[in-house]
Amino acid sequence: MDAVRSSTAAQSKQEYYGTDTGSKGRNGRMFVVTPSSNRIQMMLSSINNSFEQDTHDADANCDGPDLDFVYADVDGYQNEIAELYSYTEFVEFQMNVKAFEDQMELYDLPPNWQKQDAAAQRGIIMKLVDQLEVSDRRFRMQAARCILYLAQGCWAEVQSDEEQHQITRDNVLVLHQLGVFASFIDLLNMEIESACSPDIVAIKITNVTLVDSTDIRVILSVLYIITETIRDERDRGSEDYKELAESFVQEINAPLPDGELLAVKLLGMITRFCSGAAPQFPMKKVVLLLWKVSLLGLGGMDVLKNLKNEYRQKVGLEPITEDTLEVTKCMRASSPPATATDILENQYPRKNFKRSLMKQRFLDEPEQIDMEITGNEGQANANNGSGNGGNGSNGEEELSQYYRPYDDPSSSANSTTSTANPNNQPSLTQPPAAVPPVQITARLPWTPKVRQKDIDQFLDISRNKFIGYSLIGDHESLAGLPQPIHEGFKTLQRHMYLSLADVQIKKEEDIARNPISTHEDEIKLTPAEVLYQAILPNLPQYMIALLKVLLAASPTSKSKTESINIMADVLPKKMPLTATQSTKLTVDMGRHKEIIVKAVSAIILLYLKHFKINHVYQFEFMSQHLVFANCIPLVLKFFNQTITEYVNTKNSIPLLDFPSCVIGEQPDLSGDSFVYGGEMSDKPYSWRNVFSCINLLRILNKLIKWKHSRVMMLVVFKSAPILKKTLKVRHAMMQLYVLKLLKMQTKYLGRQWRKSNMKTMSAIYSKVRHRLNDDWAFGNDLESRPWDFQAEECTLRACVDRFNLRRYPEATQKCGNNGTAAQNAENAQQSNMMAGNNGCGNNGSDANGYGNNGSGNGGNNQHQQQQQLNDYGVEGGFPSDEILTHSDFAFFGHSGWWDRKVELTDYFKANYAVWLEEEVYNSQTDWDAL
């Protein structure tokens, strides 16, 4: 049997690579086959030894077609508006109509908005704006509901979704021109003050339901509809909205009359909610409004791309030609080729399926078991028809059955729609935009890059090897080196990439080294700069609050560990009594959580990307506080589920989405006529869930990239199996970011892991950008020394604190005074990493890991951390006198050291002139040596 297996495997290898040296493979590339028999035997031996691991590889067993998901800033306009409302808010739509009819009766006008001319409509809106300022809360909220009805498109007077959208578009234009947005901001301030007043805070609110947030939900809904409509019209390029969009962007980027940005005010609402001061705040509407305000004020992917190229050109760098989003559109999802062992199993199926011989981790994968069982039944006919598979003449045809054919989404859109909609129900969502067919090429998708640091390391190693000396600071000298080293150096220089962050870091180092002679550019008040200055004093609290909300909305979080109730704006006052109502509420709660995850992940990613372009140390400051707040284990915990089910889950009932739930004749949703969510959809996935997964993976990549200490956190939290399961989702962009995370930690996972996951290694090679001289597949990197990790993080934090203290001294001092929660979060993150060997499931399970984790080994961890800090000259939380003289720790961030009064001795005062003459004027200093 071993002989047959060896010969068949070798024959399969010849069919795939070609029999001659230098023959072409299936994808058109040239392969060189080494004819060494010992090497072939070693390869087959390793294949046989790791049979179970190979067959269990995640990328080989992912079924289903590629997802035709197109990543964008937002979903369609109708879907974004529909997600604003919960299904339990259905009854409040009628309250809006009733308020409008009563108000029109008060004005002696017919209750029909479309019958009024433009002048009458503007007059009605101006009267409603005046009524918003009355002291009687009931009349004030009645006017607010009337304006909400107008912003919703006067749906009681229309017969189609398109007509409702057009009326919303026209009304929003008039509403903003007449100052409705600013008036509702004032109403929002009043609601925040009343909710956080001492009288209300003293009464602990329990069992918060939908009724407790009625008024503030009306205000947030109006603000959201105006913001989202203006954003959509600006993206469409509407001429009548062009000037309005520009003025609106300036309005939301400017401080409010109380001095706060709107985004900062909404972040403050999230912080109050998480602290328990205002549990009635509707979190879904708050985070959705914060997301759209930030997206409109800062800009989306197109703005980011243009800003990056603009900033690079200003510092003398070439613009970026490769865009990740565009390149991934030309990729197909990974489906690695079958191994020789897999082919043998198909040709010689095992007759008996013995569960007792399966390893435990195979039993945890029902898909794998089903594949093994059905494989014996469905392969008999295939084997009969391919009895001549050993012949080389039809080897290509034989091997093709083990490869998944690529289904182009653009060419098979019609067939996908017909199979996903068996009942021929009308689609209630907007038709997807036509995607032009992309050309799938066989070459590597990315141009290789290399850093200056890698070139210096290459030269240093070459000099020590061939000549036996090193030149510190010399980046070009090739004297005495052989010709191949010269060619390698030229190749590295040709692919060298200098990032905008490298230029900014170099500038900061020059300022720290020569603070007087180095000229610092004027700080340009871009939207990202204004936002960073506004959130800097309380940024640690904002990051902790966002992650708390994200954790509470995570599908893997348990109710007993939730410290906050994000379901306050979903749960009705009376719980459902029938099975239909219970099902609707269950769907609504799942949908509610998905929308929150979508919005929070988009907010964090948007801030990270804009701060990184504006200045890298702004990005690093936010990143550090996210890491201190346990963002890394939180994201891993999110993916520690059956991610394919999460992507395919459709917690939606299309007939209850706005405006379908109020326009036209409404069907009875009781009994047999109840139609569950995704059955009327034409897509085999949930747009918001795929969007959330990609956002979280991108956040994780940004936090970890080039940070070896954080890469080790991935290893400690055992992220490799979790990330491998995520590869089952057949979407190229999602798989790219998963493979990037796996590539970062491959060198730390050991030889056995690499040996048993060669398909994943092959996918990394073919899809992730190559870094020349990057020894990512082996543990030979000089930067992988674990004792440098703490020094790396300490140095980075010192540089960030020095940057903040120099540019924003007042805000940094406030941030230091308010940093207790952040410091607790940092300690929790350190203790989590120390205890990470217990597995990610345990470390991330306590959502309140923001300050409470690791209490069991707190003494040992604290002692170790203090010892490490002492090693770097930090004693008792403050830098020692010796370390303050070091350039890397200057302006360490503890302003108390610089405010300390120093008493000079009488002897020094009496001899000051002599000291000045001898030590300063007559002293010759070699500044170059310093």
Side-chain angles (χ1 to χ4, degrees), residues 86 106 114 154 169 216 463 616 719 725 752 767 867:
S86 302
L106 187 63
Q114 299 186 65
C154 302
R169 181 181 179 279
I216 195 170
R463 288 165 181 165
V616 64
S719 64
K725 288 193 299 184
Q752 184 60 37
K767 293 188 176 298
Q867 183 61 37

Side-chain angles (χ1 to χ4, degrees), residues 313-460:
Q313 291 176 352
K314 283 184 179 180
V315 296
L317 300 178
E318 296 181 357
I320 298 295
T321 57
E322 291 179 336
D323 183 38
T324 304
L325 303 179
E326 296 299 327
V327 172
T328 52
K329 290 179 182 178
C330 301
M331 288 185 182
R332 57 156 298 179
S334 295
S335 183
T339 62
T341 313
D342 296 332
I343 298 176
L344 284 173
E345 287 299 317
N346 290 324
Q347 293 181 351
Y348 302 96
R350 290 177 292 179
K351 297 297 180 66
N352 298 324
F353 177 76
K354 296 182 179 180
R355 185 181 295 269
S356 60
L357 297 180
M358 299 286 289
K359 286 190 175 181
Q360 180 61 36
R361 59 188 180 84
F362 280 84
L363 299 179
D364 296 335
E365 294 287 343
E367 298 89 348
Q368 180 72 17
I369 297 176
D370 294 340
M371 188 179 67
E372 294 280 353
I373 296 175
T374 57
N376 297 333
E377 300 175 358
Q379 291 170 359
N381 296 333
N383 290 334
N384 294 335
S386 59
N388 298 327
N391 299 332
S393 59
N394 59 348
E396 192 72 21
E397 290 79 2
E398 286 297 319
L399 198 63
S400 64
Q401 65 177 321
Y402 305 109
Y403 291 85
R404 185 188 311 280
Y406 173 63
D407 299 327
D408 190 357
S410 59
S411 63
S412 60
N414 297 330
S415 61
T416 305
T417 304
S418 61
T419 57
N421 191 8
N423 299 326
N424 294 323
Q425 296 286 350
S427 175
L428 300 181
T429 59
Q430 288 184 338
V435 181
V438 294
Q439 183 179 2
I440 310 298
T441 60
R443 64 179 181 85
L444 292 176
W446 306 99
T447 302
K449 289 182 180 179
V450 65
R451 298 177 297 171
Q452 182 64 49
K453 180 179 179 181
D454 301 325
I455 298 180
D456 296 340
Q457 183 179 351
F458 171 77
L459 286 177
D460 190 51

Side-chain angles (χ1 to χ4, degrees), residues 685-825:
Y685 59 87
S686 171
W687 195 96
R688 60 172 168 263
N689 289 351
V690 181
F691 179 77
S692 302
C693 291
I694 294 178
N695 285 344
L696 292 174
L697 288 170
R698 296 182 73 184
I699 292 171
L700 204 57
N701 271 277
K702 288 192 172 298
L703 295 182
I704 294 175
K705 187 176 181 181
W706 303 121
K707 305 293 189 304
H708 300 284
S709 58
R710 300 174 191 176
V711 173
M712 285 304 297
M713 291 182 67
L714 287 182
V715 181
V716 168
F717 290 130
K718 299 178 175 62
S719 64
I722 299 173
L723 295 173
K724 277 192 61 180
K725 288 193 299 184
T726 309
L727 288 174
K728 291 185 178 181
V729 180
R730 291 186 57 82
H731 186 263
M733 187 176 184
M734 185 183 297
Q735 290 183 349
L736 172 66
Y737 288 109
V738 173
L739 293 173
K740 282 185 176 183
L741 292 170
L742 288 172
K743 178 182 177 181
M744 295 176 191
Q745 55 180 316
T746 298
K747 67 180 70 173
Y748 307 111
L749 295 178
R751 181 178 300 177
Q752 184 60 37
W753 188 91
R754 297 192 291 267
K755 179 181 177 182
S756 58
N757 292 275
M758 289 307 296
K759 296 175 190 175
T760 305
M761 302 279 286
S762 176
I764 293 174
Y765 179 85
S766 62
K767 293 188 176 298
V768 183
R769 184 191 300 275
H770 287 263
R771 294 277 179 172
L772 302 182
N773 280 4
D774 183 13
D775 207 7
W776 63 270
F778 307 98
N780 301 327
D781 193 352
L782 296 178
E783 295 179 345
S784 62
R785 295 174 294 184
W787 52 84
D788 288 343
F789 294 159
Q790 189 68 26
E792 177 190 42
E793 204 70 35
C794 281
T795 304
L796 176 61
R797 185 169 186 179
C799 295
V800 172
D801 289 342
R802 181 178 59 207
F803 165 80
N804 285 332
L805 191 61
R806 191 190 77 252
R807 290 181 60 164
Y808 324 106
E810 296 180 1
T812 304
Q813 187 173 0
K814 292 180 182 178
C815 182
N817 296 334
N818 299 332
T820 304
Q823 188 65 35
N824 293 338

